[in-house]
Each structure stands twice: as C-alpha cells, then as structure tokens.
Amino acid sequence: MTHRRVGLWLIGAFGSVGSSVALGLAALKRKHVDTTGLVTALPEFSRLDLDPVSEFILGGSEIRHDDFVNAASAVGGGMPAYSKSLIESCRHDLDEWSANVRVMAAKDRNFDSFQHELRDFYRRQQLDQLVVINVASTEPPVELQADHNDLVGLQKLVQSDDLQLLPASSRYAYAAIDASFPYVNFTPSLGASIPALLALATSKDVPVAGSDGKTGETLVKSVLAPMFAARNLKVLSWVGHNILGNRDGKVLSDPSIRKSKVRSKDHVVADILGYQPQSLTTIEYVDSLDDWKTAWDHVHFRGFLGVPMRMQFTWEGCDSALAAPLVIDLARLVLLAQRRGEAGPMKHLAAFFKTPLGAEEHDLTRQMAMLMEYAHSISQ
Ligand SMILES: NC(=O)c1ccc[n+]([C@@H]2O[C@H](COP(=O)([O-])OP(=O)(O)OC[C@H]3O[C@@H](n4cnc5c(N)ncnc54)[C@H](O)[C@@H]3O)[C@@H](O)[C@H]2O)c1
C-alpha cells in the first residue's frame, strides 16, 4: 500500500452527516469502532489500492460557527446517537480538523473564494490528493437553461449572483473540478449535474459522482421494486410517508426545497418498473424524532386473476449513521478512480445514489453487481 496524504473537504462539515463522517474516521483510525456499514470494507475490495481510513485529513466549509465535537454530540438531539466516551476519545483529531473548517460569510460564497480555500487547504496540508464532498443543506431545484450547456454560458452564470440559476452547490462543484479535485454530491442539490461541468470534468480528468445518497427508504424501494417486476406483479400505487426531526428535516419542511428531495426519491420505482404507478412521497418534519427517520411505505399491487394485494414496511434508521460510511466509501473510491485516470461521471458508483450521475440503473442488486465487477476488474 503506497503512503499518501489524502484530504476530504466536506461542504456543510458541521451538519449531522459531516460531523458523523469526522467522528467515524477518527474512531476507525483508533480502532474504537469496526467497519460495519462501510461497503469498501467488504472482502471484494480488499485487493484495491484504497486509501486507509486512518490517512484522511479533514477540512471543509460551513455557514455556521461550530466544531466537530459539539456537532457530533448534537446528532440525535434529545436521544444522542453517539456515546460521549467515543466522542471524547476522538477529541484530538476532531479539534484538529475543526480548525480546518472555514466559515464563509454570504458575500464570500463564490467561485473564487471556494477555490482559494480548497487550494489553500491542499497546499498547507501538503496533500497528494483532495476530494470534495457536498453534505450541505438541500437547495431548491433549478431548471437547466442554455447557459448551463457550455463553459461560456457557465462563466456568465458565475459572474451573476443569481443563486436560482447557479446555486452554491454548483459554484462549489465548478471550483473543485476546475482545480482538478474530484467532486461528489451527496445531496439532491444541482451540484455538478450540469452539462458544462460534466464535460469539464471529463476534459480535466476529474471524477465526479452523485446525486443524493441512497441510505434509507429509497434503498429499500430499489430492492423491492425489482422483485415486483421480476414476478410480473403489477404495482398499482406506491405511497411512502417519511417523518424525521433533524436539521435536514427542518430545511426540507420548506416546500420549495422539499421539491428537490421528493423529485429525487420519487422517480426510482417508475424507472425500475418501466411504468408509472400512482405514487405519493411525503416528507414531514417532526421535531421530537431528531435524527431518527421513520418511513412507512404502502404498496398496492395486483397479481394473477386480477387479485389485489398489499405490502407495507416500516424503516427506522439513524440517518447520519447510515450516510457517514457511504461518504467515506465514496471518498476512497473516487480518489482511487482519479489515480487510475478515470474521469467524468463514475457510473460504477450508482449504488450509492438515488439519482446516479451517468447511469440509468436503479436496481440495487444490479448496481452492486456493476460495482463488484469494477472492483474485480481492477483488483491487484
Ligand atoms: N442523512 C442521510 O441519510 C442523507 C441521505 C441522503 C442525502 N442527505 C443529504 O445530505 C445533506 C446533509 O444532511 P444533514 O442531515 O447533515 O443536514 P444538516 O442540516 O445537519 O447539515 C447541513 C449543513 O450544511 C451547512 N450549510 C448549509 N448551506 C451551506 C453552504 N452553502 N455552504 C456550506 N455549508 C452549508 C449547514 O450549516 C449545516 O451544518 C442534506 O442535503 C441531506 O438531504 C442525507
């Protein structure tokens, strides 16, 4: 295993996911926790030249003052998700990494400042590679226009302050890709999902991946929908009610922002089945639930001789503990891809996302087969 200094820059570092990633990396480094939840810890990945989790140096950006110890302690709110003793045992790294997080005033949230912060972190930490992962609050949806198609148009949008045409997630993606740092969008925000940015990533040999981590209800949907398809059972309607209470839930209670998430969750079933059953996806903020998300799904389907039947399931997950290991997996896989000279949308990472960039496949089993095939093909 070659020794390298690798950096992970988290946009939205002090959020529930960001601070869970920091705690997770620090705890894994000390072997205070095992690798449960990490896909890259499966035996199929053991012969890949992935960066050890102990090698990552964290930095990031925020719009709020906080630190990783406080933020990780707050995950779960009234029912803290992570133990005090675990957090205390990781304090040294968490404090060191907190000092690498830049809190940016609204006037500084632009292409030039983002790129300056990234390059500065890269240089100061003497990194060999740096990956940028967006775990910031979800933004409202953006309708793509002609200016999103090429770099000339994109430059115009960068000069304008109009966040409705080019949101912060995309300004950040542009700054990262332009500086040759791989960019991963773990949120449903626009990020790098812009024709001009995808083309730039390919031409600059930069891997990009996204969008919106597949961690809970949609993960289950992407396993169950293929079952209905495989048995030729006709899904009549699929209703999913989600309730959650963390900061993400609060942000999503704004109807214009919620639209991005619902859009990202809702298309998976129809894409797998090849037809659109009646569908309803709701996301409601329930303060007392903190980071514990409950999803209740009701599937109405028809079988042989027209017989109607139902299936229901309930998923109760700690959102951030589900998301954090995937962020670590993505950082390791994307850095490896960059070293291998891979560029543009990373199709083999589709299994991690609700709306995979560059891949049409939503069936988790097939997505995992793509990932395992990739791992096998590059095993040393
Ligand atoms: N937890 C999951 O299972 C999961 C799954 C898929 C996607 N996501 C997405 O990941 C994101 C993070 O989720 P979370 O639960 O950590 O939310 P959170 O609200 O706890 O954290 C988001 C953080 O982003 C910061 N932020 C907002 N705008 C910013 C900006 N422009 N620049 C820098 N920082 C900014 C906020 O201050 C906050 O600390 C959300 O978009 C969520 O939808 C989460």
Side-chain angles (χ1 to χ4, degrees):
M1 186 85 53
T2 324
H3 178 78
R4 287 174 290 264
R5 280 178 73 78
V6 287
L8 167 55
W9 186 268
L10 294 169
I11 308 168
F14 294 146
S16 301
V17 176
S19 56
S20 301
V21 171
L23 178 64
L25 282 172
L28 284 166
K29 182 172 161 183
R30 287 173 179 71
K31 301 200 184 333
H32 287 177
V33 292
D34 65 24
T35 52
T36 305
L38 267 127
V39 175
T40 48
L42 291 170
E44 288 86 342
F45 297 85
S46 62
R47 295 181 60 198
L48 267 52
D49 184 24
L50 293 166
D51 295 295
V53 285
S54 55
E55 295 297 316
F56 279 88
I57 299 161
L58 252 65
S61 66
E62 253 301 342
I63 56 169
R64 300 180 297 116
H65 289 276
D66 204 340
D67 60 67
F68 282 127
V69 167
N70 186 54
S73 310
V75 174
M79 298 179 285
Y82 311 123
S83 79
K84 263 188 187 159
S85 59
L86 181 67
I87 295 172
E88 272 312 313
S89 72
C90 296
R91 183 178 274 279
H92 178 76
D93 278 335
L94 295 179
D95 284 347
E96 211 169 282
W97 294 338
S98 294
N100 295 333
V101 176
R102 295 286 159 262
V103 179
M104 304 183 101
K107 68 174 176 41
D108 294 329
R109 286 176 221 149
N110 55 52
F111 175 91
D112 292 328
S113 307
F114 291 154
Q115 202 169 64
H116 170 77
E117 295 296 355
L118 295 176
R119 289 189 196 278
D120 188 51
F121 177 64
Y122 183 79
R123 198 179 46 246
R124 270 187 301 111
Q125 297 291 339
Q126 300 180 316
L127 298 174
D128 295 305
Q129 274 182 290
L130 171 64
V131 55
V132 177
I133 304 195
N134 181 22
V135 288
S137 312
T138 301
E139 299 162 343
V142 174
E143 298 307 329
L144 291 183
Q145 309 194 349
D147 277 344
H148 291 105
N149 287 336
D150 56 52
L151 280 183
V152 178
L154 201 62
Q155 272 300 329
K156 261 199 280 172
L157 298 178
V158 166
Q159 300 310 325
S160 89
D161 289 335
D162 193 342
L163 292 177
Q164 282 174 352
L165 285 174
L166 197 66
S169 62
S170 301
R171 289 169 198 260
Y172 237 122
Y174 189 8
I177 294 166
D178 182 63
S180 297
F181 301 131
Y183 172 88
V184 178
N185 186 10
F186 202 76
T187 82
S189 305
L190 187 61
S193 307
I194 293 178
L197 282 183
L198 297 178
L200 181 69
T202 305
S203 71
K204 289 203 113 187
D205 290 335
V206 179
V208 288
S211 300
D212 202 6
K214 186 157 86 171
T215 56
E217 188 217 15
T218 314
L219 179 72
V220 183
K221 277 179 168 174
S222 70
V223 173
L224 286 180
M227 177 194 76
F228 289 106
R231 286 287 193 238
N232 198 10
L233 297 167
K234 174 91 178 168
V235 177
L236 305 170
S237 64
W238 195 310
V239 174
H241 289 302
N242 296 268
I243 50 175
L244 79 165
N246 55 17
R247 197 183 303 105
D248 185 32
K250 202 167 207 166
V251 169
L252 293 175
S253 61
D254 176 328
S256 68
I257 296 176
R258 188 166 54 221
K259 224 188 260 176
S260 296
K261 195 60 141 187
V262 169
R263 216 183 250 190
S264 172
K265 286 170 85 67
D266 212 24
H267 67 92
V268 170
V269 167
D271 285 350
I272 291 173
L273 296 175
Y275 58 88
Q276 177 72 63
Q278 187 183 353
S279 78
L280 176 66
T281 303
T282 65
I283 308 172
E284 297 298 336
Y285 174 67
V286 178
D287 190 42
S288 70
L289 290 179
D290 295 317
D291 209 40
W292 276 263
K293 176 151 85 200
T294 299
W296 169 71
D297 277 46
H298 180 283
V299 187
H300 192 200
F301 62 99
R302 196 174 61 218
F304 194 46
L305 305 176
V307 179
M309 298 171 235
R310 286 159 220 271
M311 176 196 180
Q312 297 178 47
F313 71 84
T314 310
W315 170 270
E316 294 186 56
C318 174
D319 248 9
S320 308
L322 289 164
L326 303 187
V327 173
I328 297 171
D329 285 327
L330 286 163
R332 302 178 84 195
L333 288 164
V334 163
L335 288 174
L336 172 67
Q338 187 180 38
R339 290 195 291 277
R340 290 177 35 77
E342 295 167 29
M346 298 286 106
K347 295 180 190 161
H348 61 282
L349 301 181
F352 292 92
F353 299 107
K354 294 189 190 82
T355 310
L357 263 181
E360 300 296 320
E361 188 56 71
H362 290 282
D363 175 334
L364 184 75
T365 309
R366 290 194 186 160
Q367 290 174 328
M368 283 307 294
M370 279 158 57
L371 180 59
M372 294 309 187
E373 199 178 306
Y374 170 84
H376 181 70
S377 71
I378 63 166
S379 280
Q380 295 164 335

